[in-house]
Amino acid sequence: MNCELFINWNPDVVAFDLGFFAVRWYSLCWAIGLVAVYLLMHRLFRQQGISDEKFDPMFMYCFLGILIGARLGHCLFYEPGYYLSHPLEMLLPIRNVPGKGWTFTGYEGLASHGGTLGLMIALWLYARHVKLRFAHVLDNVAIVTPVCACAIRLGNLMNSEIIGKPTDLPWAFIFERVDSLPRHPGQLYEALCYAIFFFVHWAVYRRKPQLVGSGFFFGLCLFLIFTSRIFIEYTKENQEAFEEGMFLNMGQLLSIPFVVLGLYCMIRAKRKQTSPCS
């Protein structure tokens, strides 16, 4: 294979260093994604006449729901044997390293499926707290969620993690911190899909804002994101050894219920819209 055709990828994981504090690309991408979603959500709420007083608590609910859900999702879906015997390490960014004792490691492992469940629970609590319809909140969040998902996958790309399988395609990346093989940039595939999904959501919302509150956008978001995830997983290396030999890996198996739920929500929203009794 001619390596000149491929993209050699080995960026510094640190975006910038202030001397006393280093900001990593992954953390920066997370922050950019959350801020973008916050600003877009604020715009949606104002367009729909929802007060800032009801909007303001949402950020903390979403942040904690995504972080806790994503962390628990990784620990329980991918490494239950280890983390169930080390429960403290599930929620704290530390690890008991042999010979070194307790060491700060950051959160090594976040699962998008767990993050989605955590976000849904957090939004349910938020909707009850501010007395908004849960379906209305879900639809608004779903419209802008792909922006944050895109930013997170770009963070994975900067970290050279969740790498793809070897390929000889001309746009393959050689993740130099991993090995010298040209591989599918699975993180980039997902990021591009999520960016496209956001513009699809926004275009539909601009044409049919009355669908907000029907569950349609929530269903569309789940269906698009997790259907794409099922297919893109075929280009990615398995994350854990137990997935080897499985027809569908853990990421694909966990995506199926979300795809089904998404379809159900869209069909239900369509039926409610066309029903003469709605």
Side-chain angles (χ1 to χ4, degrees):
M1 291 183 291
N2 185 0
C3 293
E4 293 181 0
L5 294 174
F6 308 129
I7 299 168
N8 289 282
W9 190 253
N10 190 28
D12 194 329
V13 296
V14 175
F16 55 89
D17 193 336
L18 301 176
F20 61 91
F21 183 71
V23 177
R24 292 173 172 257
W25 276 111
Y26 186 71
S27 300
L28 183 61
C29 288
W30 256 90
I32 291 172
L34 289 173
V35 169
V37 164
Y38 177 85
L39 295 175
L40 289 166
M41 280 292 299
H42 197 196
R43 178 176 175 178
L44 288 175
F45 271 44
R46 285 192 167 182
Q47 288 177 353
Q48 297 162 20
I50 301 173
S51 68
D52 287 351
E53 182 181 358
K54 290 190 173 185
F55 171 74
D56 288 340
M58 177 181 280
F59 181 84
M60 190 54 64
Y61 276 90
C62 291
F63 176 77
L64 291 176
I66 293 171
L67 182 61
I68 295 172
R71 181 59 179 161
L72 290 178
H74 173 82
C75 296
L76 298 177
F77 295 152
Y78 290 96
E79 298 183 75
Y82 176 83
Y83 282 106
L84 288 175
S85 60
H86 300 80
L88 189 63
E89 297 177 26
M90 284 191 190
L91 295 179
L92 297 179
I94 57 175
R95 194 155 194 150
N96 193 356
V97 180
K100 295 183 179 180
W102 290 105
T103 304
F104 177 82
T105 58
Y107 287 114
E108 295 182 326
L110 298 171
S112 58
H113 302 87
T116 301
L117 287 173
L119 176 62
M120 290 168 63
I121 294 171
L123 290 175
W124 177 73
L125 294 171
Y126 161 78
R128 291 193 62 183
H129 175 67
V130 300
K131 295 179 172 55
L132 287 173
R133 287 184 60 238
F134 184 43
H136 196 98
V137 173
L138 280 179
D139 273 345
N140 277 321
V141 171
I143 292 170
V144 300
T145 288
V147 174
C148 191
C150 174
I152 291 170
R153 282 297 178 251
L154 290 176
N156 294 138
L157 180 65
M158 298 304 293
N159 269 0
S160 297
E161 59 190 2
I162 314 181
I163 60 172
K165 294 178 179 177
T167 180
D168 58 359
L169 291 171
W171 58 80
F173 278 47
I174 297 176
F175 296 97
E176 294 183 8
R177 290 206 300 274
V178 179
D179 55 31
S180 59
L181 296 176
R183 296 177 176 274
H184 284 285
Q187 322 94 320
L188 190 56
Y189 295 163
E190 285 192 64
L192 290 172
C193 283
Y194 299 156
I196 293 169
F197 297 161
F198 166 69
F199 289 109
V200 170
H201 288 180
W202 199 262
V204 175
Y205 169 71
R206 291 289 299 272
R207 292 186 62 185
K208 295 189 175 183
Q210 70 273 14
L211 286 175
V212 172
S214 69
F216 176 81
F217 289 103
F218 175 65
L220 180 63
C221 182
L222 290 181
F223 178 76
L224 289 177
I225 285 181
F226 289 103
T227 298
S228 68
R229 177 76 183 267
I230 289 173
F231 287 103
I232 293 173
E233 283 292 313
Y234 284 114
T235 72
K236 292 156 59 178
E237 293 282 13
N238 292 324
Q239 295 188 50
E240 301 296 335
F242 72 83
E243 296 176 287
E244 299 299 331
M246 294 172 62
F247 179 69
L248 297 176
N249 66 21
M250 182 60 74
Q252 292 169 315
L253 291 173
L254 293 172
S255 294
I256 293 172
F258 289 105
V259 173
V260 174
L261 178 59
L263 278 172
Y264 168 77
C265 290
M266 286 192 291
I267 293 170
R268 183 171 180 269
K270 186 67 175 177
R271 286 178 176 173
K272 287 179 64 176
Q273 188 181 30
T274 58
S275 171
C277 299
S278 60

